[in-house]
Amino acid sequence: MRGVCLGVLDVPLLFVLLLLSSVSGLLQVDQRRDADDDQELNKAILEMLHINKVSASHQNKPHPYMRRIYQRLDSLEAQDFGSSDGTLVQSFRSVDGPHQAPPGWIWFNVSGLNPSMLGAELVLFRKTLHPRPLSVTVTLHSLTAAQEVLQESPALEERLLTLDQRPSSGYDVFDVSVVLAVRPVELVGFQLRYTDESGSLVLHEALTQSLYCLDRGSLSEPLLVLYQAHTLHI
């Protein structure tokens, strides 16, 4: 009798196992069907928006210097800005210069400049350090282009660079707010001119290329940052 009873009990147990296996298989099929449906839905949405694929563009990544500015603004959120402007910030990456422009200039297209901007700074990443404490004097000049007319300004700033030391931020930042006096302006160009210890003027572009990251598309490419009021001095 015991053997018969065990045999009888084994039948429903086998049935239960088969039932569970069947349910599990159905759930997996439903999950795959739901995933396929989601994929088709996402594809349909992208097609409606005329988007072939979704990708993270390199140019959409924030410039490291701008990331510092955003962090700085976030840290100031608790303060009262009622009596202070300067939270509005615009930035422009370097572009190709106009055809009639002389070589060796760093250009920015500022045709989308907000008219309320009062402060501007040129941000250049210093990429090379000299092993010895050499210094060189650099003078910054600018060109503005409006309606295909180029106008060069007097020297904006003269600075002594120590080539074996990099700024704490890694960037040389020049105050170029003077260029905003020309309105309207479409393009702004900058050139660095160097004087060595003997007082000789060095004008070749290779020196700027050796000191700074000028590659467009690089995260540390030249940047023109504009402020509604005063710079943040990052």
Side-chain angles (χ1 to χ4, degrees), residues 112-176:
L113 176 65
N114 188 308
S116 68
M117 294 300 178
L118 300 177
E121 59 188 18
L122 173 65
V123 180
L124 300 175
F125 180 74
R126 186 100 67 81
K127 67 176 184 179
T128 302
L129 295 179
H130 198 279
R132 292 187 296 166
L134 299 178
S135 61
V136 62
T137 299
V138 58
T139 305
L140 181 66
H141 295 255
S142 70
L143 270 176
T144 54
Q147 299 180 348
E148 299 184 353
V149 176
L150 295 178
Q151 179 180 352
E152 184 172 351
S153 71
L156 301 182
E157 182 179 347
E158 184 175 277
R159 182 182 302 181
L160 184 68
L161 297 180
T162 304
L163 302 186
D164 66 329
Q165 296 178 2
R166 181 180 286 145
S168 58
S169 66
Y171 296 90
D172 284 334
V173 180
F174 300 89
D175 186 356
V176 295

Side-chain angles (χ1 to χ4, degrees), residues 54-72:
V54 179
S55 61
S57 172
H58 176 78
Q59 290 296 333
N60 289 335
K61 294 180 181 179
H63 191 284
Y65 189 80
M66 290 305 299
R67 196 179 304 121
R68 292 167 181 256
I69 291 177
Y70 298 148
Q71 292 172 351
R72 174 68 171 157

Side-chain angles (χ1 to χ4, degrees), residues 51-229:
I51 300 174
N52 294 326
K53 63 180 180 178
V54 179
S55 61
S57 172
H58 176 78
Q59 290 296 333
N60 289 335
K61 294 180 181 179
H63 191 284
Y65 189 80
M66 290 305 299
R67 196 179 304 121
R68 292 167 181 256
I69 291 177
Y70 298 148
Q71 292 172 351
R72 174 68 171 157
L73 290 176
D74 289 341
S75 68
L76 296 176
E77 279 185 350
Q79 297 187 17
D80 180 15
F81 286 106
S83 60
S84 174
D85 293 326
T87 56
L88 181 58
V89 179
Q90 274 187 294
S91 64
F92 297 92
R93 297 174 185 261
S94 57
V95 298
D96 290 326
H99 296 296
Q100 73 274 26
W105 290 74
I106 305 169
W107 289 95
F108 301 91
N109 184 343
V110 293
S111 56
L113 176 65
N114 188 308
S116 68
M117 294 300 178
L118 300 177
E121 59 188 18
L122 173 65
V123 180
L124 300 175
F125 180 74
R126 186 100 67 81
K127 67 176 184 179
T128 302
L129 295 179
H130 198 279
R132 292 187 296 166
L134 299 178
S135 61
V136 62
T137 299
V138 58
T139 305
L140 181 66
H141 295 255
S142 70
L143 270 176
T144 54
Q147 299 180 348
E148 299 184 353
V149 176
L150 295 178
Q151 179 180 352
E152 184 172 351
S153 71
L156 301 182
E157 182 179 347
E158 184 175 277
R159 182 182 302 181
L160 184 68
L161 297 180
T162 304
L163 302 186
D164 66 329
Q165 296 178 2
R166 181 180 286 145
S168 58
S169 66
Y171 296 90
D172 284 334
V173 180
F174 300 89
D175 186 356
V176 295
S177 302
V178 176
V179 301
L180 297 178
V182 180
R183 301 288 179 94
V185 59
E186 300 168 1
L187 289 171
V188 178
F190 299 97
Q191 185 185 60
L192 297 171
R193 302 175 184 177
Y194 306 90
T195 306
D196 61 19
E197 293 180 351
S198 66
S200 299
L201 186 65
V202 181
L203 280 176
H204 53 81
E205 183 182 1
L207 185 54
T208 299
Q209 291 178 340
S210 67
L211 286 178
Y212 296 108
C213 177
L214 303 181
D215 299 330
R216 287 192 295 275
S218 167
L219 276 180
S220 295
E221 67 182 305
L223 197 68
L224 182 63
V225 185
L226 300 111
Y227 299 87
Q228 194 172 11

Side-chain angles (χ1 to χ4, degrees), residues 27-45:
L27 289 176
Q28 292 178 358
V29 171
D30 289 339
Q31 289 174 353
R32 284 197 297 268
R33 185 182 296 114
D34 291 342
D36 292 339
D37 291 342
D38 290 342
Q39 186 174 0
E40 288 299 320
L41 179 61
N42 292 338
K43 181 179 178 181
I45 292 174

